[in-house]
Amino acid sequence: MKLKKIMLGMSLMTLPLLAQETQKKPVYLNPTKPIEERVEDALQRMTLEEKIGVIHAQSKFSSAGVPRLGIPELWMTDGPHGIRPEVLWDEWEQAGWTNDSCIAFPALTCLAATWNEDMSLLYGKSIGEEARYREKDVLLGPGVNIYRTPLNGRNFEYMGEDPFLAARMVVPYIKGVQANGVATCVKHYALNNQEFNRHTSNVILDDRALHEIYLPAFKAAVQEGKTWTIMGAYNLYKGEHACHNQYLINDILRRDWGFDGAVVSDWGGTHDTRQAITNGLDLEFGSWTDGLTMGATNAYDNYYLASPYLKLIQSGEFGTKELDNKVRRVLRLGFRTAMNNEKPLGSLNSPEHGAAGKKISEEGIVLLQNKNNVLPIDLSKAKKIAVIGENALKMMTVGGGSSSLKVKYEISPFDGLKTRIGSQAQVVYARGYVGDPSGSYNGVISGQDLTETRSFDELLAEAVEVAKTADYVVFIGGLNKSKHQDCEDSDRLGLELPYQQDKVISELAKVNKNLIVVNISGNAVAMPWVNEVPAIVQGWYLGSEAGNALASILVGDANPSGKLPFTFPVKLDDVAAHRLGEYPGNKEELARSTSKKDTINVSYNEGLFVGYRFTDKNKIKTLFPFGHGLSYTSFAYDKPVADKNTMSVNDKITFTVKVKNTGNRTGKEVVQLYISDKKSSLPRPIKELKGFAKVELAAGEEKEVSFTIAKEALSFYNDKTAEWVAEPGKFEAVIAASATDIKGVVPFELK
């Protein structure tokens, strides 16, 4: 398909030139030569205009190649959870293809909740195969921005509140995708922690918090995952937009971390030609959508890195040094992807991909509460199961922003339960509430008609009556991917559940003691009914296999083993960003603002103390803590031990704990290691995650789990000296099942 596109883009006069180049076997066309030699050879053959042509978009999702030299275009695709359907060349409307549906994988919050690096590798491999089959060169994901506030509409695309967990989970994903010859584009670099005013928010925070909390996952993506591209964020930092930011890109990403890949702008994230030239941007996309040439068609030559850049070179204001470096990085990307002759063929919508999505979902679903062992549902005793709630039916793969998908299929929770339970019990449904009955986003139509004419009171009354006669009630609600919920370009308006769901849940709890609440969301929600409901499950957005995976957990075919990647607070004031920091921005500046283009400062006054670091420090009781997740079996921990009680800065130390399955069925436990610095010259969190292991145990089985750490796990970033420091002194290794469920402590000392 791509070769055809290339040939169509050539005139008849250029074909003999290509043939001549091929006959000479130039270095850049020789796949046996090192990539750097190929890059330099191709670079010296390109004209100035051709160089300018490859560093900006030529369509909504592609950048130009060099037809004269046989260098193909680069094709990008959203997103991190599945391969986006095709749109028209210069429009956002659907292209109307019939072969661009995909398997939707679980949202990245669910992947993070698996706490399993093997699941991350499986995810990356599977989605990479789909991207490869669709002939995509760059997958625009994964996202690793830190969960700072539960109101961020895009949290569902990220990997939680802890930098260590996000760092460990992003690396296998990258390796799995790039093994297919498809580049990951890790996003959004950096500090994209809210959607409100996302183009105009200027983040203010100290360098310690930047390096310890907000950058580690990006650093791991670059240095361990070897990602081939990075996407800049919309927001500003130090007064410069992140897509062309001297400190973030040139100083940290390239100089300090040694990144050799391409920096891609978020669509519409470029704002200034000179800054884009000097501050590290390589590939500019989507400026048309940001109003640069609004209304013009095929306006790509007007982009900041297009004709304006060419004119600055022709006038002598800029040389070609910066341009050549940009082109080198774009060519390097092309040789790793579009011109990689060794990449596999890929596959699309395969049964294996569906099975992978189901397996990841099952490992990521979190059992939050299970009083009286209501779960799993006992089908030997259940004659009638009532399923209540709009989210039991509503497709969740459509909507939410750029991650919206056109799927080959999506199993709803209701259909998943009906299929699994079959003739064993009667499964009935009641709506309970109306959320968003629409079923379309950006031209993708789900085909569902959830229009409802009855009032809330009528729906509630029906749900209560249905619940009274059921053996089990499964309420499936939460958020959806509509505006002001889990959705790009808008934040939530509050922590509470929308659409009066709290009232529905409370009324159901009054009439049925076997109530199970399944919360479908990518964010924490308030649960004022938590003490009224025996069983609560965090269901995430689970993709194509949502209903099958959820049914598997609810009836006990799979044992839940997910753990929360972020804290569930009781109320917003329990979140550091809301109690100490500024959200959504400086109040005085917001009040004075008269234009959507006004820059608004957002101060992260909480510094390091995000998530459990804040609740630990302030002894705040959470709804559910970071790292929490229950099982249908039970686990016992022995006292942890260390192989020594002191270590030097060039040494390592190993902590070991025995974990036993004391229940009657096979299960998986996530053993967590936190490190506590007992005395430091700078303020530090009480403890920080520095290791985890997911271990599978049969009933009665015991295994030994070990963690080996070096000085990096003890270090903090000294923003005065701009270096990582491990101070001699006393530390503790904390073995835990969650941030608040401490199983044992081992003191040790760094000499």
Side-chain angles (χ1 to χ4, degrees), residues 149-153 155 490-495 523 572 578 583:
T149 165
L151 301 189
N152 180 14
N155 277 335
S490 68
D491 282 350
R492 296 169 65 195
L493 302 179
L495 190 62
N523 258 311
L572 269 183
H578 294 270
Y583 172 86

Side-chain angles (χ1 to χ4, degrees), residues 5-26:
K5 290 177 184 173
I6 296 164
M7 301 300 286
L8 287 173
M10 300 177 187
S11 69
L12 292 175
M13 294 180 64
T14 60
L15 291 174
L17 291 173
L18 177 58
Q20 186 179 18
E21 292 281 2
T22 306
Q23 288 172 0
K24 293 180 181 177
K25 293 185 179 179

Side-chain angles (χ1 to χ4, degrees), residues 172 274 444 522 592 666 671:
R274 286 173 174 80
V444 176
R592 290 196 305 266
T666 297
V671 184

Side-chain angles (χ1 to χ4, degrees), residues 184-190 218-219 221-222 227-233 249 253 257 259 261-266 281:
T184 52
C185 190
V186 180
K187 61 187 188 183
H188 301 91
Y189 184 72
F218 289 105
K219 184 178 182 180
V222 169
T227 184
W228 294 333
T229 68
I230 290 278
M231 181 186 287
I249 299 174
L253 184 63
W257 298 350
F259 179 59
V263 173
V264 179
S265 76
D266 203 343
L281 180 63

